[in-house]
Amino acid sequence: MSASDSSTARTPRVVIIGAGFGGLYAARALRHAPVEITLVDRRNHHLFQPLLYQVATAGLSPGDIAYPIRAVLSRQRNTRVLLAEAQAVDLQVRKVILKDGSLDYDYLIIATGATDSYFGHNEWERLAPGLKSLEDALEIRRRILYAFELAERETDEARRRALLTFVVVGGGPTGVELAGAIAEIARQVMVRDFRAIDPREARVILVEAGPHVLAAYPEGLSAKAEASLKKLGVEVWSNSPVTKIESGRVVAGGRDVSAATTLWAAGVKASPLAQSLGTKLEKSGRAIVEPDLSLPGHAETFVIGDLACFLHQTGKPLPAVAPAAIQQGRHAARNILHDLRGRPRVPFHYLDKGTLATIGRAAAVADFGFVRISGFFAWLAYLFVHLFFLIGFRNRFVVMFEWAWAYFTFERSARLITGDIDKVTIPRKPNQE
Amino acid sequence: MSASDSSTARTPRVVIIGAGFGGLYAARALRHAPVEITLVDRRNHHLFQPLLYQVATAGLSPGDIAYPIRAVLSRQRNTRVLLAEAQAVDLQVRKVILKDGSLDYDYLIIATGATDSYFGHNEWERLAPGLKSLEDALEIRRRILYAFELAERETDEARRRALLTFVVVGGGPTGVELAGAIAEIARQVMVRDFRAIDPREARVILVEAGPHVLAAYPEGLSAKAEASLKKLGVEVWSNSPVTKIESGRVVAGGRDVSAATTLWAAGVKASPLAQSLGTKLEKSGRAIVEPDLSLPGHAETFVIGDLACFLHQTGKPLPAVAPAAIQQGRHAARNILHDLRGRPRVPFHYLDKGTLATIGRAAAVADFGFVRISGFFAWLAYLFVHLFFLIGFRNRFVVMFEWAWAYFTFERSARLITGDIDKVTIPRKPNQE
């Protein structure tokens, strides 16, 4: 017990909601602070989302990119971890409402991130799963692998073609990475595994509403990414907004395709917790924050990461990437420390260290600001940056081994169909294009 | 196409049902045979069941102990793999009835193994899951880890105690390994991770109906295993048949205990496919086979592994272990080759290479027939024998790394709660002992 227990000043209680990059780095930055931290997450693990697509495409196991939150913070004695779901925040009485219980706070950091947005078509969610959690990744892995199994047994030619057609909706980094990885599995990994089908005949279609994939990247890199995708055999449909998704069928940009597997990587919206705040949100539901990352009128409450809309640097929201969340998590912690020491808060400034996306084996694009690269060296940069941010030596080592193994053997370590395969959507009446 | 296509002799069709140890080794033993093999399994992966308890206790990932059947046999051109569920066999017309379709055969090898037996109490299955598939293992992992999470948040003392009580029913190798691993997690791995509870207070109870755990082992080793379990903090309740399992409650040998988590390792019965054969079964549903492993009156049909009851060597059934299944798989293949070459069949003879069970960190018992060992060297033997039978260099390497990592760091790599946690049984009205 510290001396403050006997004084009238209570140890300030800091509640952090969400143990993604933002929340976890905020908690760590407060490790020496004289505060009582409660880190709440509805999962028991921190998830390294940038590599989630590799779990979805059988390259990595869930355990390789997830780490128990308790284990990360086990030695940080001022912090307890709670497996619980936050449902609302009452800013007036400073209380987080959990599904079962509540938490009072003196400082609050909200970092619950984003979920998939189907732009008003919630009925598409079942037909075209997105990629946000380990469960999502395993569902996508199940659908991809099971489609090949069904194709091997299918005698009807049109149905077989539909089973071997994979549509990825959305040409951002996740869509590009997913499409590239599916094409690689089909053309390089499964080549010898089937007898009735040739997996190389699989069609992988990347559908993008805008004119280019990786729209946020400089145009030169975006074109290079598209060329790499085509080399892998991915069809890129640009200027093709999706207008219909049915069981086994997708319509995009006026084209109609029969596909057993459709995946969603087209957009995100803020976690619904933001709506309970009663503060100003931008159109995708993110909370607009002050320069110090606090909510207007609630200096004790910070919103960070994908849930925050920070407009004070360029007038545009920051990219929804891990480095932005990490920097904001550390910054919110720093401003709490400044408060405790009676020093003025400092405004947040995002340091853009560049962007990276991979398209497959030895192919990636990178924009580090001062230099733009593509190809093998961009791919190596991608590998090392991602290994660096993985938590835990064990995960880094295993992921490095898996990548080296896949590179040299063309194998994938986690080609398992587990769980409920009855959910897989199979076209009943295949439509011809 | 081989010359036999133009002759009147059709290439014999061999159907193998089940890609466990028996079926997979049978298929491999026929790799050079002039036959068309179809290997049917309802999973896409071969599962290394002896290490399944390590997935259930967060030590290994599913991908570490499972391998895609197609990848094992991709270069074996006389073999196709079918993801399908066999529902019955019509021995008269030589046809395997699948859930969707059928397969004709000239030779049939049935190797569908065993499932958990609840001895007539099927209502216990939901309350006390067994350990046969990867899904089972993940369900058990979820229940164990979630119980600690709930205990951390529980304020009622009796409920908290129930949440930290784990009952393993059945003192065979699986029960001993599960109980030992749960005790290790609680006492060594999670020590620093919680704030409200001390995981070392967890009670792990191994319930055995007979007088000793590991009843099939020599009595000296059985006593050593019991001593190792007690050293780990496991309570061994021998002579304690289970009479009641309710939500959050177990009654065994007259003792009544409140436990949120109950696991089943008490018994197995043959896969239901045996019942469709119409041949003689022994009491646990296994098909009684001839000395050459074929069914009486059906020389073209072999039954092997845990599904077979082979009584011709000692008068007692063989142990339900991987080496017996492997040897029988190879032997059935050999007898098919003898038929094709016009040579007489040979009777099967089981070569007992010994038995092994591990109780935790650096503790195991081994009976190699000529020598019985326990402790550290038995544990090393356990590790190497299991690595040897794992399929694939990648899996061997990763499992070896995981074991070394766990040994030196006391960590577990796969402490993830994924999937549907609402299924976890929580005692509503805890009973006092």
Side-chain angles (χ1 to χ4, degrees):
Chain A
M1 292 283 139
S2 71
S4 65
D5 285 316
S6 51
S7 75
T8 50
R10 198 167 31 70
T11 309
R13 294 158 304 182
V14 178
V15 172
I16 302 173
I17 313 177
F21 285 107
L24 197 58
Y25 279 81
R28 284 171 140 191
L30 290 169
R31 63 187 172 282
H32 300 303
V35 293
E36 279 174 8
I37 303 167
T38 302
L39 177 55
V40 181
D41 200 291
R42 58 191 173 141
R43 307 280 176 181
N44 84 324
H45 50 270
H46 166 75
L47 180 64
F48 191 78
Q49 273 196 355
L51 291 178
L52 198 53
Y53 82 96
Q54 297 205 3
V55 174
T57 53
L60 294 174
S61 284
D64 298 340
I65 63 160
Y67 205 90
I69 302 163
R70 290 192 185 286
V72 180
L73 299 168
S74 63
R75 286 186 167 77
Q76 188 167 320
R77 302 309 299 185
N78 68 349
T79 305
R80 68 175 178 140
V81 175
L82 218 57
L83 181 72
E85 191 168 335
Q87 295 196 312
V89 174
D90 188 332
L91 292 175
Q92 307 315 320
V93 297
R94 298 190 181 175
K95 200 185 269 291
V96 177
I97 314 300
L98 305 174
K99 203 173 168 186
D100 43 358
S102 66
L103 291 169
D104 296 310
Y105 61 82
D106 300 300
Y107 286 100
L108 176 65
I109 299 176
I110 312 179
T112 49
T115 60
D116 288 307
S117 168
Y118 287 85
F119 308 124
H121 288 279
N122 290 338
E123 74 278 13
W124 291 354
E125 187 171 355
R126 189 180 55 83
L127 302 167
L131 186 60
K132 279 285 160 197
S133 66
L134 285 175
E135 285 82 4
D136 292 342
L138 295 180
E139 171 68 21
I140 290 175
R141 183 177 83 181
R142 183 160 47 235
R143 291 189 185 209
I144 294 171
L145 297 178
Y146 194 49
F148 284 97
E149 295 292 337
L150 290 173
E152 172 82 349
R153 295 191 58 191
E154 183 59 65
T155 49
D156 178 79
E157 179 56 28
R159 277 172 63 93
R160 183 155 64 192
R161 227 180 316 130
L163 285 164
L164 291 177
T165 303
F166 301 84
V167 176
V168 178
V169 183
T174 302
V176 165
E177 288 165 345
L178 265 179
I182 297 170
E184 274 198 338
I185 288 185
R187 282 167 179 66
Q188 298 170 2
V189 179
M190 290 187 169
V191 172
R192 272 183 298 268
D193 286 3
F194 293 87
R195 301 293 178 258
I197 59 165
D198 182 347
R200 282 170 296 194
E201 286 171 11
R203 270 181 92 180
V204 183
I205 304 170
L206 180 62
V207 169
E208 165 59 37
H212 299 292
V213 302
L214 300 182
Y217 287 49
E219 210 168 295
L221 288 184
S222 165
K224 284 217 169 99
E226 206 166 311
S228 296
L229 283 168
K230 284 177 180 163
K231 210 171 131 195
L232 272 173
V234 175
E235 296 173 37
V236 179
W237 293 6
S238 43
N239 295 310
S240 300
V242 169
T243 48
K244 194 176 271 186
I245 301 180
E246 289 173 355
S247 177
R249 183 181 171 214
V250 177
V251 182
R255 282 190 275 190
D256 193 330
V257 63
S258 292
T261 312
T262 304
L263 308 176
W264 188 261
V268 295
K269 62 178 182 219
S271 139
L273 195 64
Q275 286 159 28
S276 78
L277 299 173
T279 63
K280 211 177 156 195
L281 309 178
E282 55 86 77
K283 64 177 180 349
S284 71
R286 291 182 287 188
I288 294 171
V289 294
E290 301 283 351
D292 67 349
L293 300 177
S294 70
L295 282 177
H298 287 279
E300 78 291 348
T301 301
F302 298 88
V303 178
I304 60 171
D306 291 2
L307 193 70
C309 181
F310 181 85
L311 298 164
H312 305 278
Q313 194 161 335
T314 60
K316 286 193 295 181
L318 300 178
V321 295
I326 291 171
Q327 291 175 31
Q328 291 189 329
R330 287 179 174 154
H331 193 85
R334 192 176 160 208
N335 273 338
I336 291 174
L337 288 171
H338 278 223
D339 276 14
L340 298 177
R341 290 166 190 161
R343 279 155 53 183
R345 291 194 178 180
V346 278
F348 176 69
H349 184 87
Y350 173 53
L351 179 63
D352 186 353
K353 291 181 181 164
T355 34
L356 276 161
T358 177
I359 304 107
R361 188 182 178 75
V365 293
D367 173 15
F368 296 119
F370 62 97
V371 62
R372 292 170 190 172
I373 53 174
S374 62
F376 185 73
F377 288 101
W379 185 68
L380 277 188
Y382 173 91
L383 301 186
F384 282 103
V385 167
H386 284 79
L387 283 177
F388 181 80
F389 281 105
L390 260 181
I391 286 177
F393 172 80
R394 181 258 162 210
N395 284 8
R396 283 181 197 153
F397 180 85
V398 172
V399 168
M400 201 169 67
F401 172 77
E402 297 286 10
W403 285 347
W405 183 251
Y407 185 79
F408 290 112
T409 65
F410 292 89
E411 282 181 24
R412 290 291 180 279
S413 66
R415 272 168 55 195
L416 309 181
I417 300 176
T418 53
D420 186 6
I421 55 177
D422 296 335
K423 280 190 217 156
V424 179
T425 310
I426 308 156
R428 291 295 151 205
K429 293 180 208 133
N431 297 281
Q432 307 303 320
E433 267 181 86
Chain B
M1 291 285 135
S2 72
S4 64
D5 285 316
S6 52
S7 75
T8 49
R10 198 168 31 72
T11 309
R13 294 157 305 182
V14 179
V15 171
I16 302 172
I17 313 177
F21 285 107
L24 197 59
Y25 279 80
R28 284 171 140 191
L30 290 168
R31 64 188 173 280
H32 300 304
V35 293
E36 279 174 8
I37 303 167
T38 303
L39 177 56
V40 181
D41 199 291
R42 58 190 173 142
R43 306 280 176 179
N44 83 325
H45 50 269
H46 166 76
L47 180 64
F48 191 79
Q49 273 195 355
L51 291 179
L52 198 52
Y53 82 96
Q54 297 204 3
V55 174
T57 52
L60 294 174
S61 285
D64 298 339
I65 63 161
Y67 206 88
I69 302 163
R70 292 192 184 286
V72 181
L73 299 167
S74 64
R75 286 185 166 77
Q76 188 167 321
R77 301 309 298 184
N78 68 349
T79 304
R80 68 174 176 140
V81 175
L82 219 57
L83 181 72
E85 190 168 335
Q87 295 197 311
V89 174
D90 188 332
L91 292 175
Q92 307 313 321
V93 296
R94 298 190 182 177
K95 199 185 272 289
V96 177
I97 314 299
L98 305 174
K99 203 172 168 188
D100 44 359
S102 66
L103 291 169
D104 296 310
Y105 61 83
D106 300 302
Y107 286 101
L108 176 65
I109 299 177
I110 313 179
T112 49
T115 61
D116 287 308
S117 167
Y118 288 85
F119 307 123
H121 288 279
N122 290 337
E123 74 278 12
W124 291 354
E125 188 172 355
R126 189 179 55 82
L127 302 168
L131 186 60
K132 279 285 161 196
S133 66
L134 285 176
E135 284 82 3
D136 292 342
L138 295 181
E139 171 68 21
I140 289 175
R141 184 178 82 180
R142 184 159 47 236
R143 291 190 185 208
I144 295 171
L145 297 178
Y146 194 49
F148 285 97
E149 295 292 336
L150 290 174
E152 173 81 350
R153 295 191 58 192
E154 182 59 63
T155 49
D156 178 81
E157 179 55 27
R159 278 172 62 92
R160 183 155 66 193
R161 226 181 316 132
L163 285 164
L164 291 178
T165 303
F166 301 84
V167 176
V168 178
V169 183
T174 303
V176 165
E177 287 164 345
L178 265 179
I182 297 170
E184 274 197 337
I185 289 186
R187 283 169 179 64
Q188 297 169 3
V189 179
M190 290 188 168
V191 172
R192 270 182 301 269
D193 286 3
F194 293 86
R195 300 291 180 260
I197 59 165
D198 182 347
R200 284 170 295 193
E201 286 172 10
R203 268 181 92 180
V204 183
I205 304 170
L206 180 62
V207 169
E208 164 60 36
H212 298 293
V213 301
L214 301 181
Y217 287 49
E219 210 166 299
L221 287 186
S222 165
K224 285 217 169 97
E226 206 166 311
S228 297
L229 283 168
K230 284 178 180 161
K231 210 171 133 196
L232 272 173
V234 175
E235 296 174 37
V236 179
W237 292 6
S238 43
N239 295 312
S240 300
V242 169
T243 48
K244 193 175 274 188
I245 301 181
E246 289 173 356
S247 176
R249 182 181 171 214
V250 177
V251 182
R255 282 191 275 191
D256 194 330
V257 63
S258 292
T261 313
T262 305
L263 307 176
W264 189 261
V268 295
K269 62 178 182 219
S271 140
L273 195 64
Q275 285 159 28
S276 77
L277 299 172
T279 64
K280 209 176 159 193
L281 309 179
E282 56 86 77
K283 65 178 177 349
S284 71
R286 290 182 288 188
I288 294 171
V289 294
E290 300 282 351
D292 67 350
L293 300 177
S294 71
L295 282 177
H298 286 279
E300 78 290 347
T301 301
F302 299 88
V303 179
I304 60 172
D306 291 0
L307 194 68
C309 180
F310 181 85
L311 298 164
H312 304 279
Q313 195 161 335
T314 61
K316 287 193 296 182
L318 300 179
V321 294
I326 292 171
Q327 291 176 30
Q328 291 189 329
R330 287 179 172 152
H331 193 86
R334 191 175 162 209
N335 272 338
I336 292 174
L337 288 171
H338 279 224
D339 276 14
L340 298 177
R341 290 168 188 159
R343 279 155 53 184
R345 291 193 176 181
V346 278
F348 175 69
H349 184 85
Y350 174 54
L351 179 61
D352 186 353
K353 291 180 181 165
T355 34
L356 276 162
T358 176
I359 304 106
R361 185 181 180 75
V365 294
D367 174 15
F368 296 118
F370 62 98
V371 61
R372 291 169 190 173
I373 52 174
S374 61
F376 185 73
F377 288 101
W379 185 68
L380 277 187
Y382 173 90
L383 301 187
F384 282 103
V385 167
H386 284 78
L387 284 177
F388 181 79
F389 281 105
L390 260 181
I391 286 179
F393 173 79
R394 181 260 164 209
N395 284 6
R396 282 182 198 153
F397 180 86
V398 172
V399 169
M400 202 170 66
F401 172 78
E402 297 288 10
W403 285 348
W405 184 251
Y407 184 78
F408 290 112
T409 65
F410 292 90
E411 282 181 24
R412 291 292 181 278
S413 66
R415 271 168 55 194
L416 308 181
I417 300 176
T418 54
D420 186 6
I421 54 176
D422 296 335
K423 280 190 215 157
V424 178
T425 309
I426 309 156
R428 290 297 151 203
K429 293 182 208 129
N431 296 281
Q432 307 303 321
E433 266 181 85

